[in-house]
Structure formats: C-alpha cells, structure tokens
Amino acid sequence: MGDDNIPIKFGIIGCAEIARKVSRAINLSPNSTLHAIASRSIEKARQFALKNGLSETVKIYGSYDQLLDDPRIDAVYLPLPTSLHVQWAVLAAQKRKHLLMEKPTALDVEELDQILDACESNCVQFMDGTMWYHHPRTAKMKELASDSLLFGQLKWIHSSSTFTSAPEFFENNIRVKPDMDALGALGDTGWYCIGAILWAMNYQLPTTVVALPATARNSAGVILSCSASLHWDTEQIAATFHCSFLSHESMDLALYGSNGSLHVEDFIIPYEENSAFFDFTSGAKFVDLHIGWNVKPQRVQVASQLPQEALMVQEFSRLVKGIRDSKSSPDSKWAKISRSTQLVMDAVKKSIDLGFEPVCL
Amino acid sequence: MGDDNIPIKFGIIGCAEIARKVSRAINLSPNSTLHAIASRSIEKARQFALKNGLSETVKIYGSYDQLLDDPRIDAVYLPLPTSLHVQWAVLAAQKRKHLLMEKPTALDVEELDQILDACESNCVQFMDGTMWYHHPRTAKMKELASDSLLFGQLKWIHSSSTFTSAPEFFENNIRVKPDMDALGALGDTGWYCIGAILWAMNYQLPTTVVALPATARNSAGVILSCSASLHWDTEQIAATFHCSFLSHESMDLALYGSNGSLHVEDFIIPYEENSAFFDFTSGAKFVDLHIGWNVKPQRVQVASQLPQEALMVQEFSRLVKGIRDSKSSPDSKWAKISRSTQLVMDAVKKSIDLGFEPVCL
C-alpha cells in the first residue's frame, strides 16, 4: 500500500476568484496537492499562478481539455459558471477525474442528475464546494441541536445569506448574468440557506415549498433577492430563508427547538479562521415577575486546526484516496446532500415562476 | 399648578399574573401610585395585595364597577382576558379613566375601534401594555437602524416570539381558551413580532400579509403556533415572523439593511433589568480570499435607570398628567401604534382562516 502516502493531485478548471481560496486549501490539506490549473487562456492561467504564488511545479494549461487529459490528475475542482457545469463535470467524470464542484451544482436537478450519473458510472467521487459543512463548529452545532434534553424537538428554522457589492458587481459579475448563473442570488447565497435548513432537518425533504412575494430581479430577469418558506407537514416544522445581493453581509442560522435554541451569524464564513462560535440557549425561563431570564445564551467556541475549506479538501481527498488506493466505492452521501439542496432550490424557483404558488415535493 | 406634584392614581382591574409586574412598575415610576385593585372576588384581590406586599393604603374592591366608580382614580391598568377588553375598556373610558391596556388590545380591529372611539370622545389617554417600546435600548436601536450611512436602507426583517410551558398551561391558561383569548399565540406572542416589524417600518402598513402554511391549533381551535410574511410592495421590503407556545423561549428581532444589520435576541424582555444589549454590524466585507470578515458585530450596551415597564408607566402617567393638570389633549400616537398592530394581526388571522391566501391591507 505504498500509494497511501501519495497525495491526491488536483487540477483546477477555471481561474475564478474562489479558486484562489481553494488552491490555498488544497495546499493546506495534508493529503492533497495542486498539480495543474487551466484557463481558456494560458495567459490568464499564468497570471493566476503568479498572483497566488503557486509553486513552479504546478502545470499551466490553456484549455480545460488539456488538463482533463493529464493522466496524473486524480481530481478536479470546478469553479466554472453554473451554465458550464454539466458539460465539464460530465466530461471530467468520463475522464475518471473525481469531482469537487462549486455550488450551485447545476441550473436544475435534471442537469445535476446527468453529472451524478456520469460520476456513478465512472466510479468517481462527487462533492460540492459547500465549505461550512466541514467546520468542526458545524458538528458541534449538530450535536447540541440533536440533544433531546438540551434542545428538544426542532420546531422552526430561519436562515439568511446576503451580501451587497459595488455597482460593477451588478454590471459584470457572472452571478447576475442570465447565460452564466441564471439562478442569481438564489443559486449563490440561497444555496447556503437551503443547505443549512436541510442540514438541520437531517436532509428530510420538505413537503411544501412556497416563495414569498418579494423577489427582486435585474433587467435580464436574474434574481437579486428572494425568500421562501419550507414546510414539513407531518412534523409541523417550518423554515424561512432570505437570500440577496442587495443586503449587507449576513449569514444567519437560527434553530428553535422545544427546549433550546441555537443562533449563529457567520455560519457560511466564520468571522475568523482559527476559531468560531455559536450561541446556545437551553431551558430558558423567565425569573419571577417576568423581569429577566434565568439563563443567558451560552457562547460555544470551537477551534479549527485547519480552515474549513482545507477540511473540505481533506475529506474529499480522503474519499478519493480510498477509491484510488483501496478500491473503495465513492461515498454517495455528498451527492445526496447536493441533490436535495438542488431539488429544493428548483422548487423555490418554480414557486417564484408560478407567482408564489406552493410547490409540493 | 400645585396639582403637578400629585402622582397619577392607578386602579388595576383584574388580578392577572402580569398585574404583579405592573403593580411593581406603578410603584417604581416616580409620577404614579397604586390606588386600588379590583377582582371579581374580594378575597382574590386581598390575596393579590398580600402576596405582592402592596401598601395597606391600596383600596381593595370586589368588583370592577366599584373601582371604576372611585373618583380618586385617574387611570386604570386593564389586564383582563382579551374577550373582556371591549366591555371594560369602554366603560372605563366613559368613567373618564385613562386606559393602560394589556395586549392584544382586542379580538379584532372593530372591537378596538369601539375602545378607541370611547377614549377619544371622553378625552382619555390610551396606551397598550407593550413594554419594550419604552426601553432606552429600543430608542438606541432605532437611532442606528435609521442611520443612512451605518445601516442604509432596510431590506428585510425577521422576528420570533416563542415560549413553551408546563402541560397545565395548555389545559388551563386563559391564552389557550377560545372564550378568553381566542387569538392564542398570535395575540399573545405574535403581537410583539408584528409590533417589532411595524416599529422597524415606522408603522407603515404592509401591502400584503400572508400566513405560512404551518399553524398548530389546540382541540378548541386556538392557535398555538403560526407564522407569516409581510410585504411592502413599493419598497421591496419583506418580513417574516414566527410566534408559538410550542418552542423554547425566543425573542428575536433581526433587521437587514443595505449597509448594516442589527440582531437582538431578548427584545421583549431583556435578559437583565438594568442593562440590555444588541449586536450591530456595519460595513462588513470579507477579507482577502474570503477567509474571514473585516469587522465583527459590535455589542451595543444600553443601561436603563428603571425597568422598561416602569418607563412605560412613567410615559403614560406623564401624558395623563398633561391632560389632568394642564388640559392637554390625549396623545394619539399610542392608539395608532396599537391599531396598526391589530390591523396586521387581523390580516394574519384572516390569511390563516382563508387557507394561507394573501390578504391585502
């Protein structure tokens, strides 16, 4: 098993801004290494390598096909505009490259299914690039929110994911272009809210999804801001979320249970890399005369040895190593999480398109 | 103007649990004094006086009528079940007693209008018992949320107000009895959410209200849990709230603006009496590589010389003194706030009754 010590060799397809963060994460993760990058222009790829101080050993390709044809590459990270995902992800899978793919995974679940089918038939590991799932804080939040005494039964979830940007973002960014990222804010920041809500529900799909009648679009019809509510009929649990390119930075997740509540306001990108916190309240009652609370929220601090994106790469590479070196099967857990998120996103989109009618899942 | 130093003499009609807190507040407020209490049974009133260490000078009445006929009483605090509000509030106004009334103000706006008409035609001050409006923290939050640079334009509001209780609450409390407080959790805790949302919107009524399809009722049909979204079409602002008797204590208000955000998790009853805080974030951006934030929320601490309910009584008594001693007119501000809140509450109720259809205001 000498192969076990050979790190997973990554290729990055597309030199997007987010690729800077993930190339650093690949280098920080102990079981992976950056082998190559590709852009449609070799000059752009060279600039990317220079700007980010990449090692001279990193191959520079001027086309995505060239990178996919490099037999030394185990896995690709794919941060292309969403419209291009299905084409390049399917090809990557056919070339037996394991696939770490930026969110939103696809324009709709039919496209995503093409990708997942290609991964499955080529024995390729799939994972989307949602980083916060991999932070140890997330595991700690799940532990407390699953505690039937401290938290009790989940009743209600609220999430927001918003940011705003300079006017040039609204002119030029791919996330507001109908031919690039047609899902706009729903695909970009809404992905996190939907993921967080599903995470809280252990990926049980909602019975009904209804978009709320407050959607902002740009002149090309791309969603700049929207919101929705999700409902689980049998459990009488509900959730709301708000995603937007028009509001100040927010990354809120609040879980309300029968015995406790949990609040976090930086769930997607923690304020700081090395340590993150959330607030947990359990068994709160009013003191006599209702002039105060018997307990205040407890601030739970969780240290992280590596940035969450490096932990994501490490987990992905661990699975890929299992397949490459030990003939394990791909772990379908991550594909299922992506698919559930995409399904709910599709339902929100459909509800908006239907004029805010409820959509059953 | 020798009368100016004579405090406002209060009578309390109904010895509800909340009357304990307000009788203390009347004593703490420098411009008011508790003159009398009334219960339908003189024995119950005596027990209330004894249990709460009321002064022996406080008159004890065995009927509400007797208290209203006491000419020395300037104002009444009325914490009766909602179903009884219209009857006793109108009578109090006719007897020229200024009216501090527990929320929800009435079962619907038609009832509330009867009360407000009686107050107006008898030159009587009206205020509902929403205490948090009077905390200096509330003014500080408004100051920051109104700052066009620090906060920018309001985009989204979320609020929750929930608590749960022992099984006997669900058996015996007036708030789950259809003949007492037919509005259940919507009237009790939902009142605060709706009030907070309207407060954030400077009392501009929403264009549309739609209840979300997740309402829990008891066997008698009283709402135990519900939620709704509110929309202001022209401004593209939206709000959601969740109110419930089935979730752990929560009192969340989150305001999302174009340049800042504000979070408070104890907005109705602060954790502590003397000092309260909220979190304010302004101008947050990601640091390079999106591996953290440039700023963290700032915790804004606001001291309070008096408990918020004493500040409420003080403000109410100040207005009553103006009328009593200086022939001022009643201040209609508080009636307008109550009426707007009631109107939105009625719309939520109607949307629920219509099967979660949007209701225009």
Side-chain angles (χ1 to χ4, degrees), chain B residues 277-298:
Chain B
F277 63 84
F278 61 95
D279 285 344
F280 190 76
T281 319
S282 180
K285 303 278 172 206
F286 297 127
V287 297
D288 186 38
L289 287 173
H290 287 201
I291 57 175
W293 298 41
N294 63 336
V295 292
K296 284 202 234 180
Q298 182 196 354

Side-chain angles (χ1 to χ4, degrees), chain A residues 41-348:
Chain A
S41 119
I42 195 155
E43 193 45 43
K44 193 178 171 200
R46 280 202 189 106
Q47 286 298 322
F48 181 89
L50 198 67
K51 190 176 172 193
N52 293 288
L54 300 188
S55 160
E56 289 186 359
T57 62
V58 174
K59 302 275 176 214
I60 311 286
Y61 290 116
S63 87
Y64 306 155
D65 285 301
Q66 283 176 342
L67 186 145
L68 290 178
D69 283 333
D70 183 336
R72 285 162 300 179
I73 291 174
D74 299 302
V76 293
Y77 168 62
L78 204 147
L80 296 174
T82 312
S83 303
L84 301 176
H85 280 191
V86 65
Q87 172 191 352
W88 292 103
V90 167
L91 189 61
Q94 287 166 346
K95 301 267 183 182
R96 302 290 166 98
K97 307 304 186 196
H98 302 279
L99 198 57
L100 179 63
M101 204 170 77
E102 252 324 306
K103 34 60 58 183
T105 47
L107 291 175
D108 55 38
V109 77
E110 287 75 22
E111 277 195 5
L112 177 58
D113 281 344
Q114 291 182 52
I115 297 171
L116 298 180
D117 288 349
C119 288
E120 196 177 345
S121 49
N122 290 286
C123 198
V124 153
Q125 179 65 42
F126 177 90
M127 183 185 279
D128 80 49
T130 309
M131 298 164 178
W132 72 270
Y133 293 146
H134 304 271
H135 197 290
R137 173 175 64 177
T138 306
K140 187 68 187 173
M141 291 195 296
K142 177 54 82 179
E143 178 195 325
L144 286 177
S146 305
D147 190 306
S148 60
L149 287 176
L150 291 176
F151 186 77
Q153 198 197 337
L154 182 62
K155 296 287 186 179
W156 182 262
I157 309 163
H158 177 67
S159 181
S160 77
S161 173
T162 66
F163 70 86
T164 190
S165 205
E168 63 174 37
F169 174 91
F170 296 98
E171 291 293 323
N172 302 320
N173 196 281
I174 60 163
R175 284 174 281 186
V176 298
K177 298 285 182 189
D179 55 340
M180 299 286 211
D181 272 312
L183 296 165
L186 176 61
D188 187 32
T189 66
W191 179 271
Y192 294 114
C193 299
I194 293 168
I197 291 166
L198 289 172
W199 167 84
M201 286 298 298
N202 296 318
Y203 299 98
Q204 186 186 341
L205 286 177
T207 330
T208 322
V209 168
V210 57
L212 305 181
T215 302
R217 295 177 186 265
N218 68 11
S219 57
V222 175
I223 294 165
L224 301 180
S225 171
C226 71
S227 49
S229 69
L230 287 65
H231 306 272
W232 289 260
D233 284 358
T234 47
E235 284 83 7
Q236 290 195 320
I237 300 173
T240 50
F241 75 85
H242 174 58
C243 59
S244 176
F245 291 153
L246 304 174
S247 283
H248 176 261
E249 212 79 273
S250 78
M251 300 181 163
D252 291 3
L253 178 61
L255 309 181
Y256 306 90
S258 54
N259 298 338
S261 63
L262 187 156
H263 290 79
V264 56
E265 286 161 26
D266 62 345
F267 82 97
I268 303 164
I269 299 177
Y271 297 126
E272 295 176 1
E273 272 204 320
N274 302 330
S275 182
F277 62 84
F278 61 94
D279 286 343
F280 190 76
T281 318
S282 180
K285 303 277 174 206
F286 297 128
V287 297
D288 187 37
L289 288 172
H290 287 202
I291 56 175
W293 296 43
N294 63 335
V295 294
K296 283 202 234 181
Q298 181 196 356
R299 184 145 288 189
V300 182
Q301 202 89 31
V302 183
S304 184
Q305 297 293 321
L306 284 174
Q308 61 182 3
E309 58 274 17
L311 294 170
M312 173 183 76
V313 171
Q314 187 178 25
E315 171 63 6
F316 175 76
S317 299
R318 185 185 71 79
L319 296 170
V320 172
K321 274 175 86 87
I323 300 164
R324 185 191 68 181
D325 302 338
S326 310
K327 309 298 172 211
S328 307
S329 295
D331 187 339
S332 62
K333 168 188 165 186
W334 297 104
K336 284 178 188 158
I337 289 174
S338 303
R339 193 173 192 276
S340 300
T341 311
Q342 185 86 46
L343 268 176
V344 173
M345 204 170 69
D346 288 7
V348 174

Side-chain angles (χ1 to χ4, degrees), chain B residues 76-94:
Chain B
V76 294
Y77 169 62
L78 204 147
L80 296 174
T82 312
S83 304
L84 301 177
H85 280 191
V86 66
Q87 173 190 351
W88 291 103
V90 167
L91 189 62
Q94 287 167 346

